[in-house]
Amino acid sequence: MTHWFHRNPLKATAPVTFNYYGVAAGPAASKICSDLRSSRARLLELFTDLSCTPEMMKNASDSYFSLLQGFINSLDESTQESKLRYIQNFKWTDTLQGQVPSAQQDAVFELISMGFNVALWYTKYASRLAGKENITEDEAKEVHRSLKIAAGIFKHLKESHIPKLITPAEKGRDLEARLLEAYVVQCQAEAQEVTIARAIELKHAPGLIAALAYETANFYQKADHTLSSLEPAYSAKWRKYLHLKMCFYTAYAYCYHGQTLLASDKCGEAIRSLQEAEKFYAKAEALCKEYGETKGPGPTVKPSGHLFFRKLGNLVKNTLEKCQRENGFIQNPNQKKW
């Protein structure tokens, strides 16, 4: 089953030379600064390299972050921070607010911003892989794993590093708690989409699929609510995506719940459940159109034309027709069932 995920753009950053004449004296110090410069450049290159794998990303990010720790933590392993923490100014743009950069003379700001981009890379890698036709079981597991890694990074930044910033995160920008929480919950929801697709493929019980779909819809609703107080000019497109996915998986939940009711010969209740599925599918379809017309960060696509969307529409239609036929046979027991 192919998937479609909304993605915000990567953060951009100004070059950093790590040249500290008069401070970094001696060959060893110069070597560390040179390694920092090259490992940062290498990591930035990989963000846009379509051939980059999770293993390559992990190795490059570990290399840079291990060197950057020398600018954050004291080398004598005491609780004191490094004397180099505030020596370098770092500039990063924002995923939602475009090319207006934020700047802080703080190595922790660099760690958080680069870590944010690493997490975004994992979500984009998962999106590319999940969008393939005939995705294999191993690829589906890789999508799930990448989304879990991304969620873990966003959560770790929010809980362990952002509180250490001297200058608090600006409201409505990437490092604010609301945005990080939205990214975490979105990753959880998308990972569960992969689980649902696998459950459908393995023909698990409709009741289980309905429960998973309902939980996924709640994840998307939570992420949307988290962004509700943000400036619409920046968050509208993202929120359209979250809202349409909430409606989409609510329709899924009603559809498979209807199948469970039908299996229990509760045709009337099954029909009502499928009618609710139709309503939410229609809402999702309208939101797909609005998403395509809404300006803001993110891709310009028509989700309603995507295979994952069309398949649900056919499933709801066919299941409702089956329920109505079964209900007709119950009401007319003398009618022959072909």
Side-chain angles (χ1 to χ4, degrees), residues 218-238:
N218 285 339
F219 276 137
Y220 279 116
Q221 187 175 40
K222 180 182 177 183
D224 180 47
H225 180 73
T226 303
L227 297 175
S228 61
S229 56
L230 288 181
E231 179 62 44
Y234 304 123
S235 63
K237 195 176 187 74
W238 190 6

Side-chain angles (χ1 to χ4, degrees), residues 48-67:
T48 54
D49 183 350
L50 294 180
S51 66
C52 179
T53 64
E55 184 181 8
M56 292 165 65
M57 178 54 61
K58 184 179 186 306
N59 290 340
S61 56
D62 284 353
S63 174
Y64 180 59
F65 291 140
S66 63
L67 290 166

Side-chain angles (χ1 to χ4, degrees), residues 9-14 90-104 109 113 170-175 234 297:
L10 288 162
K11 296 163 74 69
T13 182
F90 298 95
K91 288 184 180 180
W92 285 88
T93 61
D94 193 77
T95 59
L96 293 184
Q97 297 192 28
Q99 299 305 308
V100 179
S102 294
Q104 289 195 35
F109 177 68
S113 300
E170 299 171 65
K171 286 195 173 182
R173 296 181 77 90
D174 287 338
L175 308 189
Y234 304 123

Side-chain angles (χ1 to χ4, degrees), residues 135-239:
I135 182 171
T136 66
E137 182 182 349
D138 286 342
E139 287 171 335
K141 288 178 180 177
E142 188 68 30
V143 171
H144 195 275
R145 185 162 44 247
S146 295
L147 289 167
K148 284 183 69 177
I149 290 171
I153 294 172
F154 285 128
K155 190 171 187 289
H156 182 65
L157 294 176
K158 178 189 169 191
E159 295 176 356
S160 301
H161 294 294
I162 288 176
K164 296 177 183 175
L165 285 172
I166 301 299
T167 305
E170 299 171 65
K171 286 195 173 182
R173 296 181 77 90
D174 287 338
L175 308 189
E176 203 206 338
R178 288 176 298 178
L179 271 86
L180 284 162
E181 181 62 19
Y183 276 115
V184 170
V185 178
Q186 181 179 331
C187 287
Q188 291 172 329
E190 291 172 349
Q192 191 136 299
E193 285 193 48
V194 179
T195 303
I196 291 170
R198 186 68 179 149
I200 293 170
E201 188 180 326
L202 295 175
K203 294 181 168 50
H204 285 319
L208 172 63
I209 297 169
L212 287 170
Y214 180 71
E215 188 179 34
T216 304
N218 285 339
F219 276 137
Y220 279 116
Q221 187 175 40
K222 180 182 177 183
D224 180 47
H225 180 73
T226 303
L227 297 175
S228 61
S229 56
L230 288 181
E231 179 62 44
Y234 304 123
S235 63
K237 195 176 187 74
W238 190 6
R239 291 193 63 199

Side-chain angles (χ1 to χ4, degrees), residues 158-336:
K158 178 189 169 191
E159 295 176 356
S160 301
H161 294 294
I162 288 176
K164 296 177 183 175
L165 285 172
I166 301 299
T167 305
E170 299 171 65
K171 286 195 173 182
R173 296 181 77 90
D174 287 338
L175 308 189
E176 203 206 338
R178 288 176 298 178
L179 271 86
L180 284 162
E181 181 62 19
Y183 276 115
V184 170
V185 178
Q186 181 179 331
C187 287
Q188 291 172 329
E190 291 172 349
Q192 191 136 299
E193 285 193 48
V194 179
T195 303
I196 291 170
R198 186 68 179 149
I200 293 170
E201 188 180 326
L202 295 175
K203 294 181 168 50
H204 285 319
L208 172 63
I209 297 169
L212 287 170
Y214 180 71
E215 188 179 34
T216 304
N218 285 339
F219 276 137
Y220 279 116
Q221 187 175 40
K222 180 182 177 183
D224 180 47
H225 180 73
T226 303
L227 297 175
S228 61
S229 56
L230 288 181
E231 179 62 44
Y234 304 123
S235 63
K237 195 176 187 74
W238 190 6
R239 291 193 63 199
K240 289 288 183 192
Y241 165 77
L242 297 171
H243 194 189
L244 81 83
K245 280 292 186 82
M246 184 274 288
C247 291
F248 181 82
Y249 278 97
T250 302
Y252 244 121
Y254 274 116
C255 181
Y256 278 91
H257 181 57
Q259 290 186 21
T260 304
L261 292 168
L262 183 62
S264 302
D265 292 329
K266 297 178 180 177
C267 292
E269 292 177 46
I271 288 171
R272 285 193 290 275
S273 189
L274 266 297
Q275 287 170 341
E276 286 298 310
E278 272 192 326
K279 288 179 188 175
F280 276 97
Y281 183 78
K283 285 182 183 177
E285 198 166 29
L287 285 163
C288 283
K289 185 179 179 183
E290 291 175 24
Y291 174 88
E293 295 171 350
T294 302
K295 293 181 180 179
T300 303
V301 296
K302 293 182 178 178
S304 57
H306 200 285
L307 180 61
F308 91 97
F309 195 87
R310 299 199 311 271
K311 283 179 74 173
L312 176 60
N314 292 331
L315 181 64
V316 170
K317 179 176 176 290
N318 294 337
T319 309
L320 178 56
E321 288 174 356
K322 183 180 179 183
C323 290
Q324 289 168 335
R325 283 197 307 272
E326 293 289 333
N327 194 48
F329 294 138
I330 291 171
Q331 292 175 358
N332 301 288
N334 294 324
Q335 184 178 340
K336 287 185 179 180

